[in-house]
Amino acid sequence: NTVMTQSPTSMFTSVGDRVTMSCKASQNVGINVGWYQQKTGQSPKRLIYWASNRDTGVPDRFTGSGSGTDFTLTISNMQAEDPAIYYCLQHNSYPLTFGSGTKLEIK
Amino acid sequence: EVQLVESGGGLVQPGRSMKLSCAASGFTFSNYGMAWVRQAPTKGLEWVATISYDGSSTYYRDSVKGRFTISRDNAKSTLYLQMNSLRSEDTATYYCTRRIMDYWGQGVMVTVSS
């Protein structure tokens, strides 16, 4: 099974900060990676597909990058509405696997 | 507008069965593979099962294989998850999603407890 390791587990940021979080796959998953945002009490929302493609309506401050085993989600200008848990997902092979999440909070 | 609406959750005793449904609208259901993802209380996301657009192929995580069955009725635009021999560790919110996981339902809670 492909293990997706996210880091950091949590982080505190300030409005306007640049935020970077990582997701490392235990084996090559190509670009078969998505990033999801889950706010408290809500369903997950997909932000990025195929590692670097932004979903419709997602602000351009969210950027995904990477391929193979190393992936990154960057928020270029943290906003007050961005605190959430962010998950990566690999859909290269079954079983599909999510990372354990990065919890992003405002200082 | 794509909508996925789950139903059928609740409290069930260990060892018993429960069937979840997901009513889809706003897209051509029969063109899309579908999936179930769950989230235990205060835990992360966990993929459960996937079914192809026509129901001919199904995939399961190991911990539910042989106990859960994913199925669909394209005429009714509805996805199902039949859960048998339920265990306490199956307690979670279950989300219906398209296979590509672009749209998600609001989730339905399943609690397995005596």
Side-chain angles (χ1 to χ4, degrees), chain A residues 49-104:
Chain A
Y49 63 97
W50 299 121
S52 61
N53 294 272
R54 202 176 295 117
D55 269 278
T56 302
V58 173
D60 60 7
R61 64 180 180 273
F62 291 93
T63 301
S65 62
S67 66
T69 60
D70 292 323
F71 302 88
T72 300
L73 178 68
T74 299
I75 308 173
S76 61
N77 178 16
M78 180 74 180
Q79 296 298 299
E81 63 265 31
D82 297 338
I85 300 177
Y86 292 83
Y87 296 95
C88 59
L89 162 73
Q90 71 79 21
H91 54 90
N92 182 65
S93 62
Y94 290 105
L96 308 185
T97 46
F98 290 89
S100 56
T102 291
K103 186 174 184 178
L104 188 58

Side-chain angles (χ1 to χ4, degrees), chain A residues 20-38:
Chain A
T20 299
M21 60 190 76
S22 169
C23 183
K24 293 185 183 296
S26 61
Q27 57 190 287
N28 189 339
V29 295
I31 58 169
N32 297 298
V33 167
W35 287 94
Y36 294 79
Q37 176 193 64
Q38 188 177 32

Side-chain angles (χ1 to χ4, degrees), chain B residues 10-87:
Chain B
L11 176 64
V12 61
Q13 292 180 328
R16 304 297 290 265
S17 298
M18 177 175 279
K19 187 172 186 177
L20 304 182
S21 299
C22 171
S25 61
F27 65 103
T28 304
F29 182 73
S30 58
N31 287 352
Y32 287 84
M34 298 293 294
W36 289 97
V37 174
R38 68 185 179 184
Q39 186 170 36
T42 73
K43 301 297 184 182
L45 301 169
E46 183 174 83
W47 168 78
V48 175
T50 294
I51 187 167
S52 61
Y53 71 99
D54 61 355
S56 63
S57 298
T58 56
Y59 308 87
Y60 300 92
R61 68 179 303 104
D62 284 350
S63 61
V64 308
K65 212 171 287 185
R67 299 189 299 124
F68 288 13
T69 302
I70 188 172
S71 62
R72 63 190 299 155
D73 185 334
N74 284 346
K76 295 182 178 179
S77 296
T78 301
L79 176 72
Y80 302 101
L81 185 67
Q82 176 67 47
M83 305 183 291
N84 299 332
S85 302
L86 281 161
R87 306 168 180 168

